Amino acid sequence: MTSILILNGANLNMLGTRQPEIYGSATLDDIKSLCIAKAEEMGIGISFQQSNSEGALIDEVHMAKNHQNGIIVNAGAYTHTSIALMDALISVDLPVIELHLSNIHAREEFRHKSYIANAAIGIICGFGAYGYELAIDAMTRHLGIKR
Ligand code: DQA
């Protein structure tokens, strides 16, 4: 069965109470439920993970190599800082979609730079929790799965 890793980085465990005016009121568990429902609709499996640690995120990417068909990543602030996570994403040779709840290009200038973008086939940002569904749609279409 086709399966996608949905990887969430730093501070995304705080969703729901973290700056809801920017990130919305959905918790990460709410978003996980959305993703499970969307994946079922598309007939694929998902592994939904979150870590605040850069190394743990890199380990998840490495583990995806022989077990997943693609990676959707909201790396949080590591997006703007982590060459190591970018290198990991490039090293596993899987399609990567970069995802953000907020429109990072309409925010502070330091959020405009993304290292993850170098590893990505495309970027979805600014659509809140719905972006996760959009990303699953985009990844399944990229993988040639039709529903
Ligand atoms: C974020 C945007 C990042 O700039 C920020 O550091 C986050 C969340 C988003 O989903 O909008 O933690 O990735």
Side-chain angles (χ1 to χ4, degrees):
M1 190 198 219
T2 299
S3 183
I4 298 173
L5 172 64
I6 302 177
L7 192 58
N8 296 281
N11 299 306
L12 292 170
N13 56 313
M14 302 303 285
L15 289 176
T17 54
R18 174 191 179 201
Q19 295 178 282
E21 68 287 1
I22 294 176
Y23 298 118
S25 55
T27 65
L28 196 61
D29 270 349
D30 294 335
I31 291 175
K32 183 179 178 180
S33 299
L34 278 180
C35 289
I36 290 169
K38 183 70 185 174
E40 267 172 24
E41 184 192 314
M42 305 308 282
I44 63 161
I46 57 164
S47 170
F48 191 94
Q49 305 293 337
Q50 189 273 333
S51 177
N52 293 316
S53 148
E54 190 175 10
L57 293 167
I58 291 168
D59 289 342
E60 283 290 345
V61 170
H62 292 172
M63 284 189 290
K65 186 170 172 56
N66 295 313
H67 301 98
Q68 307 290 338
N69 301 93
I71 302 175
I72 294 169
V73 57
N74 181 353
Y78 291 132
T79 304
H80 319 297
T81 61
S82 183
I83 296 170
L85 185 55
M86 173 193 75
D87 280 349
L89 288 163
I90 291 169
S91 78
V92 294
D93 206 21
L94 289 169
V96 171
I97 294 177
E98 176 181 345
L99 174 63
H100 302 283
L101 294 148
S102 64
N103 178 358
I104 55 173
H105 298 288
R107 299 182 63 195
E108 304 95 323
E109 194 154 348
F110 61 82
R111 294 186 205 275
H112 299 181
K113 167 74 189 167
S114 166
Y115 285 104
I116 305 303
N118 295 284
I121 55 171
I123 302 163
I124 294 169
C125 71
F127 296 99
Y130 178 51
Y132 283 75
E133 294 183 68
L134 291 172
I136 292 171
D137 243 332
M139 183 62 85
T140 48
R141 182 174 284 234
H142 178 82
L143 294 171
I145 294 161
K146 297 201 172 63
R147 280 278 144 170

